[in-house]
Amino acid sequence: MVRASNSASTAAGSSSRDLILDAARDLITSRGYDGMAVSDLCAQSGLPPSSVYYHFGNKLGVLAALLERTFEEFHALFPNPASFGERDPVARLEAWFTAVCNALDRRPDYLRLLLAVSVGPHKDSETVRVTVRRIRDHAHASWVEALTPIFAPDGDADGQAFIAQLAVLGRAMTDGLSVANSFDGATYSSHVAPFVSLIRGLAEQHSHEV
């Protein structure tokens, strides 16, 4: 009986923690971190302030935990470029980027959250900076992995430098599309074809230069 009681208590604690994080995600993406108060978290989650302080210590602790959960969800949501390795390099990039954009169309709140977190003094918190950096580095590494077979299959330095620039461009594009999605309703998927056309043109130019 004691074991069952402990199990129920753990499940309840996990549930209340997730309820608070879900409420924080909705509030931050709609109001920003500075516009979210503990009282708002309580009203949105239906839980008392004691639950917030018990699980997270303070409001910044809520943000840090939300970012950590977002990072884990990013891993589960986005495919690895290597999973499309059977195709030729440009088709591989297109298949990967299509899958990423489809995932973002299903869950646009991911990038909106990161953009909302990027504004305000809380972004300089060590915990927040480290987690956001891990998310950004993961995205950058995926872009590099997808672009390398196209522009630097043999690992040449010039090609790798060009890939690093394109990876930054790719991240910046998806960041910007999160704003377009919020204001204009633009989907991520609708921009796959023009971006792939750009990459294909650059690849042809690169092959001529080589």
Side-chain angles (χ1 to χ4, degrees):
M1 293 290 287
V2 172
R3 193 173 299 168
S5 176
N6 287 341
S7 177
S9 176
T10 300
S14 177
S15 176
S16 62
R17 190 177 189 276
D18 286 335
L19 283 173
I20 294 167
L21 291 178
D22 289 342
R25 182 187 61 208
D26 293 341
L27 289 166
I28 291 173
T29 53
S30 62
R31 305 183 188 179
Y33 174 77
D34 292 331
M36 178 186 73
V38 171
S39 58
D40 298 321
L41 283 171
C42 296
Q44 183 93 349
S45 66
L47 294 167
S50 58
S51 292
V52 177
Y53 296 121
Y54 172 77
H55 287 296
F56 306 105
N58 53 34
K59 195 175 84 162
L60 187 59
V62 174
L63 176 61
L66 178 60
L67 287 172
E68 191 63 37
R69 189 180 75 169
T70 300
F71 179 68
E72 293 171 0
E73 290 173 338
F74 258 68
H75 271 293
L77 186 66
F78 294 136
N80 191 304
S83 59
F84 304 99
E86 297 287 322
R87 299 165 173 81
D88 70 75
V90 175
R92 177 177 181 261
L93 171 80
E94 182 174 14
W96 168 75
F97 191 44
T98 297
V100 167
C101 288
N102 287 338
L104 288 171
D105 282 334
R106 292 195 303 270
R107 294 297 302 272
D109 52 294
Y110 286 122
L111 289 184
R112 289 178 191 169
L113 171 65
L114 291 182
L115 287 179
V117 167
S118 69
V119 179
H122 56 274
K123 68 179 172 41
D124 295 323
S125 160
E126 181 66 15
T127 302
V128 171
R129 273 194 297 114
V130 167
T131 305
V132 170
R133 185 72 268 155
R134 283 170 61 202
I135 295 172
R136 306 288 287 168
D137 287 347
H138 176 72
H140 185 85
S142 294
W143 275 107
V144 169
E145 184 180 347
L147 291 164
T148 294
I150 302 173
F151 296 103
D154 299 322
D156 64 285
D158 289 343
Q160 289 177 336
F162 186 55
I163 287 167
Q165 293 177 325
L166 282 178
V168 172
L169 175 63
R171 284 188 316 168
M173 179 182 64
T174 50
D175 289 345
L177 284 175
S178 70
V179 177
N181 178 275
S182 295
F183 286 99
D184 306 325
T187 65
Y188 293 87
S189 300
S190 64
H191 292 78
V192 170
F195 184 76
V196 172
S197 294
L198 170 65
I199 295 298
R200 185 172 284 110
L202 290 172
E204 290 172 359
Q205 177 182 342
H206 180 73
S207 64
H208 289 317
E209 291 174 353
V210 172

